[in-house]
């Protein structure tokens, strides 16, 4: 909505996770403070739709077909100071559009979910061109210099590990809060696997394995993985979520036909909280939002060949916590799925590890921090998550409460 807005959310379509985090925070803001106005803008697309398409396509090609190039780019930008001369020159490309956004929406708080708007807007704040509060939401379990700028008032991060990393880089402790990465409020609602499977028409007696490829379907080995799972001698039902990649969805649908294990192949779904509540194991890439959602549902993960940079950082965080295992290729991933499904105790241990680091209410915690800049509280908000029952997740087999 043009005109005066209380909050401006700036995001990006690259990878899909930045936008999903912004949508989650928007949902929480609506629940907590429905009287406030906020607007969400895709910052790079707003700047240039054509260049946004080109950059998005280049990113997808790089991470799928030339990950070594992406690794070098990620490392090089990590070494570059976000407020150094090179970065300031880059930011100048976006300054005019950023000024127009501020003039159009007149926000009191700007929340950025992508490094470019985070540093551009913070630069305008540091130069005295706006008095709006600047909040940056880091959407991976990583510390990368391109997110950081001295003009930022507050960082909302996914874990204490990331918080400690920012403080080690000189960010004042009072400016960093580990709220967790915002996920849809639906993940904060308790849902048993029995209820979810009934709603989704899944077999109550077979373990459910979800294969995810991210919103843009950037999973090069998805076909061979799914072929291996549906032909496995270990009984399971496989749900494949291919995102917006219709070619991937069609290709996987062909290879799973006729296998002994049932398979369901879907495109993008808006009810991921329901599917994850129904599942016993997630297999796929290590995107920041997908893995955060899985943690919110206490869902163990098998991560395949993560993208260099942010996905490697996410994988290291999850494996160190005991909530995930890493596979070098799809063949190894199939073997790990089979081993985990045959070892209930190991699966329960991973689920308990996921619960220890999960933050299903992250969107509400982030909303509370944003609203604090407006002298608002979450009026009329009641917790969505009841206190856990003692022993609720011990020894229940397939179909535990999530």
């Amino acid at each position: 909505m043009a005109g005066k807005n209380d909050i401006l959310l700036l995001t990006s379509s690259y990878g899909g996770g930045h936008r999903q985090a912004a949508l989650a925070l928007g949902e929480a803001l609506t629940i907590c403070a429905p009287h406030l106005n906020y607007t969400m803008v895709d910052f790079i697309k707003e700047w240039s739709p054509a260049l946004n398409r080109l950059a998005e396509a280049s990113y997808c090609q790089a991470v799928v077909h030339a990950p070594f190039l992406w690794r070098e780019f990620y490392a090089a930008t990590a070494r570059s100071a976000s407020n150094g001369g090179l970065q300031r020159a880059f930011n100048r490309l976006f300054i005019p559009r950023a000024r127009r956004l501020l003039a159009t929406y007149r926000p009191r708080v700007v929340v950025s979910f992508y490094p470019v708007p985070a540093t551009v807007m913070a630069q305008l704040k540091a130069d005295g061109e706006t008095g709006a509060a600047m909040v940056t939401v880091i959407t991976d379990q990583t510390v990368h210099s391109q997110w950081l700028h001295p003009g930022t008032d507050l960082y909302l991060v996914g874990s204490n590990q990331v918080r400690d990393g920012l403080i080690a880089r000189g960010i004042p402790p009072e400016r960093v809060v580990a709220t967790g990465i915002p996920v849809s409020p639906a993940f904060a609602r308790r849902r048993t696997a029995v209820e979810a499977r009934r709603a989704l028409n899944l077999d109550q007696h077979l373990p459910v394995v979800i294969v995810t490829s991210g919103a843009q379907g950037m999973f090069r080995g998805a076909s061979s993985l799914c072929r291996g799972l549906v032909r496995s001698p270990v009984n399971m039902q496989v749900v494949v979520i291919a995102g917006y990649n219709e070619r991937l969805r069609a290709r996987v649908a062909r290879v799973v036909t006729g296998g002994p294990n049932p398979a369901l192949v879907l495109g993008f779904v808006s009810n991921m909280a329901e599917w994850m509540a129904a599942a016993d194991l997630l297999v796929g890439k290590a995107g920041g939002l997908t893995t955060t959602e899985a943690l919110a549902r206490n869902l163990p993960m098998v991560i395949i060949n993560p993208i260099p940079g942010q996905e490697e950082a996410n994988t290291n965080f999850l494996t160190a916590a005991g909530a995930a295992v890493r596979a070098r290729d799809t063949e190894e991933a199939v073997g790990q799925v089979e081993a985990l499904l045959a070892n209930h105790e190991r699966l329960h241990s991973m689920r308990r590890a996921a619960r220890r680091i999960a933050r299903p209410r992250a969107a509400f915690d982030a909303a509370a921090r944003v609203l604090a800049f407006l002298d608002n509280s979450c009026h009329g908000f009641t917790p969505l998550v009841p206190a856990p029952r003692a022993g609720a997740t011990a020894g229940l087999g397939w179909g535990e409460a999530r």
Side-chain angles (χ1 to χ4, degrees), residues 322-370:
V325 294
R326 178 173 179 165
R328 291 167 295 182
D329 51 38
T330 56
E331 183 178 357
E332 184 177 349
V334 171
Q336 289 179 334
V337 169
E338 292 172 341
L340 288 170
L341 293 182
N343 188 340
H344 280 214
E345 184 49 46
R346 175 79 188 282
L347 208 58
H348 291 320
S349 176
M350 292 176 68
R351 189 169 294 128
R352 290 191 293 268
R355 185 180 303 110
R356 284 193 293 270
I357 58 174
R359 296 175 184 263
R361 293 169 48 84
F364 293 109
D365 294 336
R369 295 291 178 168
V370 171

Side-chain angles (χ1 to χ4, degrees), residues 25-378:
L25 180 59
E27 286 185 65
L29 288 169
T30 298
I31 293 171
C32 291
H35 58 288
L36 297 179
N37 294 322
Y38 76 87
T39 297
M40 188 172 78
V41 173
D42 186 324
F43 185 80
I44 309 296
K45 185 177 181 179
E46 179 78 9
W47 176 67
S48 172
L51 287 177
N52 182 68
R53 288 193 296 272
L54 176 62
E56 187 173 352
S58 299
Y59 167 74
C60 293
Q61 290 298 313
V63 299
V64 173
H65 300 293
F68 61 95
L69 292 179
W70 177 253
R71 182 193 300 275
E72 292 303 314
F73 175 80
Y74 188 89
T77 53
R79 293 191 296 267
S80 174
S82 61
N83 64 332
L86 182 62
Q87 187 63 40
R88 287 177 67 91
F90 178 72
N91 285 350
R92 279 197 288 272
L93 295 172
F94 303 95
I95 288 290
R97 175 58 65 183
R99 286 178 178 142
R100 284 195 287 274
L101 287 174
L102 291 172
T104 299
Y105 296 105
R106 292 178 286 161
R108 298 160 64 191
V109 183
V110 177
V111 187
S112 297
F113 297 80
Y114 191 67
V116 174
T119 55
V120 170
M121 286 293 184
Q123 185 62 53
L124 290 178
K125 175 70 177 283
D127 292 342
E129 295 195 34
T130 177
M134 295 296 161
V135 180
T136 292
V137 179
I138 297 180
T139 54
D140 287 293
Q141 299 291 349
T142 184
V143 179
H144 191 286
S145 64
Q146 296 308 293
W147 287 98
L148 312 182
H149 194 284
T152 303
D153 296 296
L154 181 66
Y155 296 91
L156 303 179
V157 302
S159 64
N160 288 326
Q161 175 180 302
V162 178
R163 181 178 187 272
D164 293 342
L166 264 62
I167 293 170
R169 291 201 178 199
I171 306 299
E174 65 273 14
R175 294 193 179 193
V176 191
V177 180
T179 56
I181 299 169
V183 294
S184 170
F187 284 90
R189 300 188 183 99
R190 184 180 176 84
R191 186 70 156 158
T192 68
V194 170
E195 293 167 338
R197 292 180 186 186
R198 184 180 299 120
L200 298 169
N201 198 29
L202 295 173
D203 192 314
Q204 295 284 354
H205 305 293
L206 284 176
V208 177
V209 176
I210 288 185
V211 177
T212 63
S213 63
Q216 293 168 316
M218 297 189 299
F219 188 177
R220 195 173 183 180
S223 295
S224 61
L225 169 70
C226 295
R227 183 187 296 110
L229 293 175
V230 298
R231 296 179 181 180
S232 170
V234 176
N235 292 332
M236 68 183 85
Q237 51 193 321
V238 181
V239 178
V240 185
I241 300 177
Y244 293 111
N245 191 330
E246 279 299 307
R247 293 177 62 185
L248 175 65
R249 187 195 62 77
R251 187 165 63 248
V252 171
R254 286 194 298 271
V255 304
V256 300
T257 302
N261 288 323
L264 180 63
V265 184
L266 308 170
F268 180 83
V269 299
S270 58
N271 59 338
M272 186 62 88
E274 189 90 349
W275 287 104
M276 287 191 176
D280 296 284
L281 190 60
L282 181 141
V283 189
K285 307 300 286 181
L289 262 290
T290 297
T291 55
T292 302
E293 290 172 345
L295 290 177
R297 283 300 192 217
N298 309 149
L299 186 58
M301 290 166 263
V302 176
I303 296 171
I304 303 175
N305 194 21
I307 294 169
Q310 67 271 31
E311 283 198 6
E312 285 186 336
N314 295 338
T315 302
N316 292 338
F317 172 75
L318 295 165
T319 55
V325 294
R326 178 173 179 165
R328 291 167 295 182
D329 51 38
T330 56
E331 183 178 357
E332 184 177 349
V334 171
Q336 289 179 334
V337 169
E338 292 172 341
L340 288 170
L341 293 182
N343 188 340
H344 280 214
E345 184 49 46
R346 175 79 188 282
L347 208 58
H348 291 320
S349 176
M350 292 176 68
R351 189 169 294 128
R352 290 191 293 268
R355 185 180 303 110
R356 284 193 293 270
I357 58 174
R359 296 175 184 263
R361 293 169 48 84
F364 293 109
D365 294 336
R369 295 291 178 168
V370 171
L371 293 172
F373 284 107
L374 303 173
D375 297 323
N376 277 269
S377 60
C378 293

